[in-house]
Amino acid sequence: MGQAAKVLQLFKTLHRTRQQVFKNDVRALEAARIKINEEFKSNKSETSPKKIEELMKIGSDVELLLRTSVIQGIHTDHNTLNLVLSGASGAGWRAMGRGGALSPVCAHSFLTIAAVLLTPFFSSHEENGY
């Protein structure tokens, strides 16, 4: 398979992963769509095979990260937060504590970790008006 075909395949794979991971989150779907398209467009004129391979490695790493490491919180009532975690299967799974909901301590821990990991993501989206 030629390099151009591999780049196109990665582009499509990233978009399919985005659609699976963020399927119920319109804002995240749109933000991820814009980011993927911007990254590919900004490197469209790259001709160095070595640089293209480096960029493809980054894109593959991002796809793996999206598919295996995304945490989304869904408020179900005042004291309950369901966390939807993406898994290697792509199906996702819910992390729950006693009574079918995360305890406040557990939810706080997950959200603290998520906030630290997602700070760069949110910072870039605030600049873009999201």
Side-chain angles (χ1 to χ4, degrees):
M1 180 184 296
Q3 198 168 41
K6 288 180 183 179
V7 170
L8 181 59
Q9 182 180 22
L10 176 60
F11 180 80
K12 289 178 177 182
T13 300
L14 280 163
H15 277 292
R16 276 193 294 276
T17 300
R18 166 190 70 88
Q19 290 171 336
Q20 290 170 354
V21 171
F22 301 122
K23 66 182 170 187
N24 295 320
D25 188 338
V26 176
R27 289 182 67 191
L29 276 167
E30 181 65 8
R33 183 189 67 77
I34 289 169
K35 184 64 174 171
I36 292 166
N37 291 345
E38 284 176 350
E39 289 298 322
F40 275 81
K41 189 175 183 178
S42 70
N43 293 294
K44 185 178 180 177
S45 61
E46 184 59 58
T47 57
S48 167
K50 185 176 178 180
K51 178 67 175 175
I52 293 170
E53 284 299 319
E54 290 173 9
L55 291 167
M56 288 182 59
K57 173 69 172 124
I58 292 169
S60 295
D61 290 346
V62 167
E63 192 276 333
L64 179 65
L65 184 68
L66 283 172
R67 192 167 25 91
T68 61
S69 304
V70 172
I71 301 171
Q72 291 179 288
I74 302 170
H75 288 274
T76 56
D77 64 39
H78 179 67
N79 292 322
T80 306
L81 178 69
N82 286 339
L83 293 183
V84 179
L85 308 166
S86 63
S89 68
W93 45 277
R94 296 188 188 280
M96 300 210 178
R98 280 178 267 154
L102 286 171
S103 69
V105 172
C106 185
H108 177 74
S109 297
F110 272 116
L111 291 176
T112 301
I113 293 167
V116 169
L117 294 174
L118 295 174
T119 297
F121 175 80
F122 288 122
S123 298
S124 67
H125 284 80
E126 286 174 1
E127 294 169 6
N128 292 324
Y130 290 103

